[in-house]
Amino acid sequence: MIAIIVEDRCTNCNACVVVCPTNVLDAGPGIPVIARQLDCQTCFMCELYCPHDAIYVAPDCDHPVTVDAQAIAGSGLLGEFRRLHGWDEWADDPRFTNEHWQMEQVFLRARAMAQAGNM
């Protein structure tokens, strides 16, 4: 479940708001707001599409987790999901195989269903 958006890394591009299939995030006047945390399905799309590694999604999909921004920044976990999936700047690194692109259509269908009220 999405746990935190690290303010000093976020550039307010709102890519996470756009890509979230369940509309957990709202665009704010500053950084996006985690408005409906319990609706998070732990799909990691927000973390994957964040080009500045400002989002941490905890692996617990049933319960919100409280985390400290400095501890998360120091842990090396920010950006780990993008790196391990060979996303974006990691796409040409042979150590990280990008197979997550295969899920994009599944997530887009889920988002359409959620927006249509079928979930």
Side-chain angles (χ1 to χ4, degrees):
M1 184 174 294
I2 187 168
I4 193 168
I5 300 173
V6 178
E7 189 169 355
D8 62 349
R9 287 183 175 226
C10 180
T11 62
N12 310 336
C13 72
N14 290 316
C16 55
V17 176
V18 173
V19 75
C20 178
T22 55
N23 300 313
V24 169
L25 303 162
D26 285 342
I31 67 170
V33 176
I34 302 172
R36 291 164 290 283
Q37 187 178 28
L38 295 178
D39 289 347
C40 179
Q41 298 178 350
T42 319
C43 69
F44 293 89
M45 292 295 284
C46 56
E47 191 173 320
L48 194 63
Y49 277 84
C50 177
H52 305 287
D53 300 333
I55 297 176
Y56 173 69
V57 177
D60 187 336
C61 59
D62 294 323
H63 305 95
V65 175
T66 301
V67 296
D68 177 72
Q70 289 184 334
I72 287 296
S75 71
L77 291 173
L78 291 172
E80 181 181 53
F81 192 74
R82 293 166 45 81
R83 182 176 61 253
L84 294 179
H85 286 83
W87 197 260
D88 209 4
E89 71 269 28
W90 301 100
D92 295 329
D93 190 324
R95 295 175 298 167
F96 308 109
T97 305
N98 181 356
E99 295 182 8
H100 208 86
W101 63 270
Q102 298 178 38
M103 294 301 294
E104 185 170 352
Q105 291 304 314
V106 173
F107 292 132
L108 289 174
R109 286 196 309 266
R111 180 185 177 108
M113 290 174 65
Q115 289 176 338
N118 294 331
M119 294 183 82

